[in-house]
Amino acid sequence: MDYNAAKLFITVVNAGSFSAASDRMGVPISTLSRKINELEEALNVQLLERSRHGVKPTYKGQQFYEQARPGVELLEDAQKAVTSAHTLQGKLRLSVPPNFSLWWDLLIAFQQRYPDITLFCHSSERVVDLFEDGVDVALRMGEIKTEDVIAKPVMHVEAVFVASPTFLARHGTPETLADMALLPVMAWESLNHGVFEWNSGAEKVKYEPFFSTNNSQGLLHYALSGMGVAQLLDFSARPWLEKGELIQLLPDLPEYLLPLHLVYARHKHPSAIVRAYLDFCAEWVATLK
């Protein structure tokens, strides 16, 4: 059996179409089609169902895909180990939440340690499909609600309430969540989320924002401009808190912590590059404590 043809077949299944696989691999569509036809002839079985909407594996193709992929990935690791002069080389495809500035520093440090690893980093509020989107590791905030992935806890981030000194001079400093709900509030909102409520222990307070966005930089800009109260991640607000351009509100409230996980496919053998990234993230985060 042709190892390269099996590798191309796996890429096509992951990508969902010949055109997407061609872009990902830099291999002409005609070559992909020819190599997979040859693989089907060698195995004497149809592996793919082709349509104008893309491709998907047949029943036999899915069986071959699931059993061949771990072996192909192990062979790729072995090839890199003996041809890379003991340095990690290759491309790592990542996903991170939007405006997550803390992770840019981590990625810079990672590439300084591993200069032969190239990175693609997708940033969106959309939860990517690790297989269809060809993402090796995703950074996800909040609870993980699927069992199809391995989720490695990496850290917690704190969300804090802030406002500018000029805003507080005009409106006064709130002493409770109920007081704060009476003030102009900016809030994070996605296209599918419109419930606005603060929780602190047994206390639950509903509020109605006058401005909402899925862009944390927009919330930060509004807060610095004295437009109202916002809840921001601690690391994005910290430089402005230290300079006195923002003031933390209700600092005695219990900490509001959001878990961060590094997520990768459950049934995919993590490559040497992925393992290096996971280990580096744990090491780097430990230096923040």
Side-chain angles (χ1 to χ4, degrees):
M1 185 185 72
D2 186 339
Y3 159 74
N4 287 323
K7 180 179 176 181
L8 293 175
F9 165 74
I10 290 168
T11 302
V12 170
V13 173
N14 285 340
S17 70
F18 281 100
S19 59
S22 175
D23 291 341
R24 192 172 296 176
M25 295 286 289
V27 175
I29 293 176
S30 59
T31 302
L32 287 173
S33 181
R34 175 173 56 81
K35 296 295 288 185
I36 291 175
N37 284 336
E38 292 174 357
L39 180 63
E40 290 177 321
E41 291 175 3
L43 297 173
N44 194 30
V45 66
Q46 182 180 349
L47 297 173
L48 292 175
E49 293 179 359
R50 299 157 172 84
S51 73
R52 59 191 179 92
H53 300 296
V55 296
K56 63 179 182 179
T58 63
Y59 175 75
K60 289 291 187 180
Q62 185 66 30
Q63 285 185 313
F64 180 76
Y65 170 81
E66 291 176 357
Q67 295 184 43
R69 183 172 58 184
V72 168
E73 290 170 350
L74 285 170
L75 283 172
E76 286 182 317
D77 278 358
Q79 182 182 30
K80 290 172 183 175
V82 299
T83 60
S84 62
H86 306 295
T87 62
L88 288 176
Q89 296 177 342
K91 187 168 186 176
L92 185 62
R93 292 173 61 87
L94 306 174
S95 174
V96 301
N99 306 123
F100 208 79
S101 58
L102 179 67
W103 226 245
W104 304 130
D105 291 333
L106 181 149
L107 295 182
I108 288 171
F110 177 76
Q111 287 199 283
Q112 287 173 338
R113 178 177 296 184
Y114 299 104
D116 294 321
I117 295 177
T118 59
L119 295 183
F120 166 76
C121 189
H122 174 269
S123 184
S124 170
E125 70 177 65
R126 179 176 70 87
V127 177
V128 298
D129 186 300
L130 298 178
F131 292 117
E132 290 187 6
D133 296 312
V135 170
D136 296 307
V137 186
L139 180 69
R140 292 184 181 166
M141 187 160 44
E143 299 300 329
I144 305 299
K145 300 178 180 179
T146 176
E147 297 180 353
D148 295 334
V149 298
I150 294 176
K152 184 176 181 180
V154 62
M155 66 182 295
H156 285 80
V157 290
E158 182 181 2
V160 295
F161 294 109
V162 298
S164 72
T166 55
F167 175 84
L168 296 176
R170 293 196 309 270
H171 295 273
T173 300
E175 297 183 1
T176 65
L177 288 176
D179 290 342
M180 197 159 58
L182 300 175
L183 300 174
V185 177
M186 297 88 67
W188 193 93
E189 181 182 10
S190 70
L191 290 173
N192 303 313
H193 176 78
V195 178
F196 302 104
E197 184 178 81
W198 295 317
N199 296 299
S200 178
E203 184 181 12
K204 295 184 178 181
V205 176
K206 293 185 180 293
Y207 64 96
E208 188 64 37
F210 81 95
F211 173 78
S212 59
T213 178
N214 67 338
N215 188 305
S216 61
Q217 291 299 311
L219 294 177
L220 175 61
H221 191 79
Y222 261 62
L224 288 169
S225 298
M227 294 295 292
V229 172
Q231 190 175 34
L232 302 174
L233 294 178
D234 171 73
F235 64 81
S236 64
R238 189 180 304 126
W240 312 102
L241 292 168
E242 291 174 351
K243 292 190 290 186
E245 295 184 35
L246 289 177
I247 304 296
Q248 183 177 349
L249 305 177
L250 308 180
D252 295 329
L253 284 179
E255 290 182 325
Y256 179 55
L257 299 176
L258 294 166
L260 280 178
H261 294 87
L262 291 167
V263 174
Y264 56 99
R266 176 174 294 278
H267 56 278
K268 182 177 182 180
H269 173 73
S271 68
I273 291 177
V274 167
R275 293 196 301 271
Y277 174 68
L278 296 173
D279 291 343
F280 182 87
C281 290
E283 175 189 329
W284 190 86
V285 166
T287 66
L288 303 178
K289 299 176 182 179

